[in-house]
Amino acid sequence: MAQKLLTSAHLLEIFMPYRSDEARMIDVLHKAVELDFYKGVELGIFFDKTNRKEVRRILEENHLNGTTFATPYVKDQKLGLSDLDEGRRRKAVELVKELANYAADTGYTNFGVPSGDDPGPVFRGLAKNVLAESMIEIADHCKSLGLNLTLEPLDRYVFKKQLIGPIEESVIWFAPIHEECPNAYIHWDSAHEALGGMDLMKSLEVTAPFLAQFHLCNAIVDPSHPCFGDLHMDVGEGPDFETEGFLTPALGAEILKKAASYDKPAGVKDVYVSVEVLGHPGDNLWLKERNAREFLMKCFEIAGMSVK
């Protein structure tokens, strides 16, 4: 085994109803620390300086890796890093750079960005060139802040219909960006790859040179099903974790073993894995966290890998 994978909690996604309640999200972080299971956490952007300082203190005192994503904030303003309108693209880039400043101040290590919507085959090549420009500018800014920049390929033709989708095509496009900006990496997600009809093991193989972190995410891949798509669905409850989705503990274990078989990319201290489950208003959010955590534990157990 080439590397040891570390456990992370996607607290932003599970506790999404609390996204704008920074004090409540800090309470969530405190409780997650008390579980003594996670080595990393994925959180939102904290706009209040005092709250950023508190989150940084918690991360540092507990030796936790921190990750955040600009995605929901960029989408809130209906902006895109691959927008062919230069004025709107510049607004997106400047917003993302401002969010990166907050991320660095909070003590995060990884900072994720979205690719933007696919404009269709006629303008796709131009949009990818524009996105590359945005990525390089943002990566350079992140480097000055001590941050790694990550991009998550989604699906182009099935559900999310984003610009950067099919993984084999994506890594060919991404390689020159990583060469120019070694702090730029890829964030891999099992649901996007499954929905795109990709062979998950082959997908991990081609992503491995750039893989900084990844999600185990469940989805229903049958287009005729009413819950089809990348809905960040639950992973079920132990001990069997049965759902209508494709992701099982056995498959999760295979993903873990495959990812762990590759060397860490240069510049990445550790590769973290989390289970991505979306919390909705009214949900028992800590039950969702517990199920996600126990699912991850089961995957590590089946894989014969230690979480300590």
Side-chain angles (χ1 to χ4, degrees), residues 224-254:
S224 68
H225 194 286
C227 297
F228 164 75
D230 181 40
L231 303 178
H232 300 172
M233 65 180 284
D234 291 352
V235 288
E237 296 187 29
D240 50 29
F241 298 100
E242 286 188 6
T243 71
E244 295 184 83
F246 77 93
L247 187 63
T248 64
L251 178 55
E254 289 301 310

Coordinates of all heavy atoms in Angstrom, one line a residue, residues 224-254:
S224 N -34.7 6.3 -15.0 CA -36.1 6.2 -14.8 C -36.6 6.3 -13.4 O -37.8 6.4 -13.1 CB -36.6 4.9 -15.4 OG -36.1 3.8 -14.6
H225 N -35.7 6.3 -12.5 CA -36.0 6.4 -11.0 C -36.3 7.8 -10.6 O -35.6 8.8 -11.1 CB -34.8 5.8 -10.2 CG -35.2 5.5 -8.8 ND1 -35.4 6.5 -7.8 CD2 -35.4 4.4 -8.1 CE1 -35.7 6.0 -6.7 NE2 -35.7 4.6 -6.8
P226 N -37.3 8.1 -9.8 CA -37.7 9.5 -9.4 C -36.6 10.1 -8.6 O -36.6 11.4 -8.5 CB -39.0 9.3 -8.6 CG -39.0 7.9 -8.2 CD -38.3 7.1 -9.3
C227 N -35.7 9.4 -8.0 CA -34.6 10.0 -7.2 C -33.2 9.9 -7.9 O -32.2 9.9 -7.3 CB -34.5 9.3 -5.9 SG -36.0 9.6 -4.9
F228 N -33.3 9.7 -9.3 CA -32.1 9.7 -10.1 C -31.3 11.0 -9.9 O -31.8 12.1 -9.8 CB -32.5 9.5 -11.5 CG -31.4 9.8 -12.5 CD1 -30.3 8.9 -12.7 CD2 -31.4 11.0 -13.3 CE1 -29.3 9.2 -13.6 CE2 -30.4 11.3 -14.2 CZ -29.3 10.4 -14.3
G229 N -30.0 10.8 -9.9 CA -29.1 12.0 -10.0 C -28.2 12.2 -8.8 O -28.1 11.4 -7.9
D230 N -27.4 13.2 -8.9 CA -26.4 13.6 -7.9 C -27.1 14.4 -6.8 O -27.0 15.6 -6.7 CB -25.3 14.4 -8.5 CG -24.2 14.7 -7.5 OD1 -23.9 13.9 -6.6 OD2 -23.7 15.9 -7.5
L231 N -27.8 13.7 -5.9 CA -28.6 14.3 -4.8 C -27.9 14.2 -3.5 O -28.5 14.5 -2.5 CB -30.0 13.7 -4.8 CG -30.8 13.7 -6.1 CD1 -32.1 13.0 -5.9 CD2 -31.0 15.2 -6.5
H232 N -26.7 13.6 -3.5 CA -26.0 13.4 -2.2 C -26.8 12.7 -1.2 O -27.0 13.1 -0.1 CB -25.5 14.8 -1.6 CG -24.6 15.6 -2.5 ND1 -24.2 16.9 -2.3 CD2 -24.0 15.2 -3.7 CE1 -23.5 17.3 -3.3 NE2 -23.3 16.3 -4.2
M233 N -27.3 11.6 -1.7 CA -28.3 10.8 -0.9 C -27.6 10.0 0.2 O -26.4 9.9 0.3 CB -29.0 9.8 -1.9 CG -28.1 8.7 -2.4 SD -28.9 7.5 -3.5 CE -29.8 6.5 -2.3
D234 N -28.5 9.6 1.1 CA -28.0 8.8 2.3 C -27.3 7.5 1.9 O -27.5 7.0 0.8 CB -29.1 8.5 3.3 CG -29.7 9.8 3.9 OD1 -29.1 10.8 3.8 OD2 -30.7 9.6 4.6
V235 N -26.4 7.0 2.8 CA -25.8 5.8 2.5 C -26.4 4.6 3.3 O -25.9 3.5 3.4 CB -24.3 5.8 2.9 CG1 -23.5 6.7 1.9 CG2 -24.1 6.4 4.3
G236 N -27.6 4.9 3.9 CA -28.3 3.8 4.6 C -27.8 3.8 6.1 O -27.0 4.6 6.6
E237 N -28.3 2.7 6.8 CA -27.9 2.6 8.2 C -27.3 1.2 8.4 O -27.6 0.2 7.7 CB -29.1 2.7 9.1 CG -29.8 4.1 9.1 CD -30.9 4.2 10.1 OE1 -30.8 3.5 11.1 OE2 -31.8 5.0 9.8
G238 N -26.4 1.1 9.3 CA -25.7 -0.2 9.6 C -26.7 -1.2 10.2 O -27.8 -0.8 10.7
P239 N -26.4 -2.4 10.2 CA -25.1 -3.0 9.7 C -25.0 -3.2 8.2 O -23.9 -3.4 7.7 CB -25.1 -4.3 10.5 CG -26.5 -4.8 10.6 CD -27.3 -3.5 10.8
D240 N -26.2 -3.2 7.5 CA -26.1 -3.6 6.1 C -25.9 -2.4 5.1 O -25.5 -2.5 4.0 CB -27.3 -4.4 5.6 CG -28.6 -3.7 6.0 OD1 -28.7 -2.5 6.1 OD2 -29.6 -4.4 6.3
F241 N -26.4 -1.2 5.5 CA -26.3 0.0 4.7 C -26.9 -0.1 3.3 O -26.4 0.3 2.3 CB -24.8 0.5 4.5 CG -24.2 0.8 5.8 CD1 -23.3 -0.1 6.5 CD2 -24.4 2.1 6.4 CE1 -22.7 0.2 7.7 CE2 -23.8 2.4 7.6 CZ -22.9 1.5 8.3
E242 N -28.1 -0.8 3.3 CA -28.8 -1.0 2.1 C -29.5 0.3 1.6 O -30.2 0.9 2.4 CB -29.8 -2.1 2.2 CG -29.2 -3.5 2.3 CD -30.2 -4.6 2.3 OE1 -31.4 -4.3 2.0 OE2 -29.9 -5.8 2.4
T243 N -29.4 0.6 0.3 CA -30.1 1.7 -0.3 C -30.4 1.3 -1.7 O -30.0 0.2 -2.2 CB -29.2 3.0 -0.3 OG1 -28.2 2.9 -1.2 CG2 -28.7 3.3 1.1
E244 N -31.1 2.2 -2.4 CA -31.3 2.0 -3.9 C -30.2 2.5 -4.7 O -30.2 2.4 -5.9 CB -32.6 2.6 -4.3 CG -33.9 2.0 -3.6 CD -35.2 2.6 -4.1 OE1 -35.6 2.2 -5.2 OE2 -35.7 3.5 -3.5
G245 N -29.2 3.1 -4.1 CA -28.0 3.6 -4.8 C -27.0 2.6 -5.1 O -27.1 1.5 -4.6
F246 N -26.0 3.0 -5.8 CA -24.9 2.1 -6.3 C -23.9 1.8 -5.2 O -23.2 0.8 -5.3 CB -24.2 2.6 -7.5 CG -23.3 3.7 -7.3 CD1 -21.9 3.5 -7.0 CD2 -23.7 5.0 -7.2 CE1 -21.0 4.5 -6.8 CE2 -22.8 6.1 -6.9 CZ -21.5 5.8 -6.7
L247 N -23.7 2.7 -4.2 CA -22.6 2.7 -3.3 C -22.9 1.8 -2.1 O -23.8 2.0 -1.4 CB -22.3 4.1 -2.8 CG -21.0 4.2 -2.0 CD1 -19.8 3.8 -2.8 CD2 -20.9 5.6 -1.4
T248 N -22.1 0.8 -2.0 CA -22.1 -0.2 -0.9 C -20.8 -0.1 -0.1 O -19.8 0.4 -0.6 CB -22.3 -1.6 -1.4 OG1 -21.2 -2.0 -2.1 CG2 -23.6 -1.7 -2.3
P249 N -20.8 -0.6 1.1 CA -19.5 -0.7 1.9 C -18.4 -1.4 1.1 O -17.3 -1.1 1.1 CB -19.9 -1.3 3.2 CG -21.3 -1.0 3.4 CD -21.9 -1.0 2.0
A250 N -18.8 -2.5 0.4 CA -17.9 -3.3 -0.3 C -17.2 -2.5 -1.4 O -16.0 -2.5 -1.7 CB -18.5 -4.6 -0.8
L251 N -18.1 -1.8 -2.2 CA -17.5 -0.9 -3.2 C -16.7 0.2 -2.6 O -15.7 0.6 -3.2 CB -18.7 -0.4 -4.1 CG -18.3 0.6 -5.2 CD1 -17.3 -0.1 -6.2 CD2 -19.5 1.0 -6.0
G252 N -17.2 0.8 -1.6 CA -16.4 1.8 -0.9 C -15.0 1.3 -0.5 O -14.0 2.1 -0.6
A253 N -15.0 0.1 0.0 CA -13.7 -0.5 0.4 C -12.8 -0.6 -0.8 O -11.5 -0.4 -0.7 CB -13.9 -1.8 1.0
E254 N -13.3 -1.1 -2.0 CA -12.5 -1.2 -3.2 C -12.0 0.2 -3.6 O -10.8 0.3 -4.0 CB -13.4 -1.8 -4.3 CG -13.7 -3.3 -4.1 CD -12.4 -4.1 -4.0 OE1 -11.5 -4.0 -4.8 OE2 -12.3 -4.9 -3.0

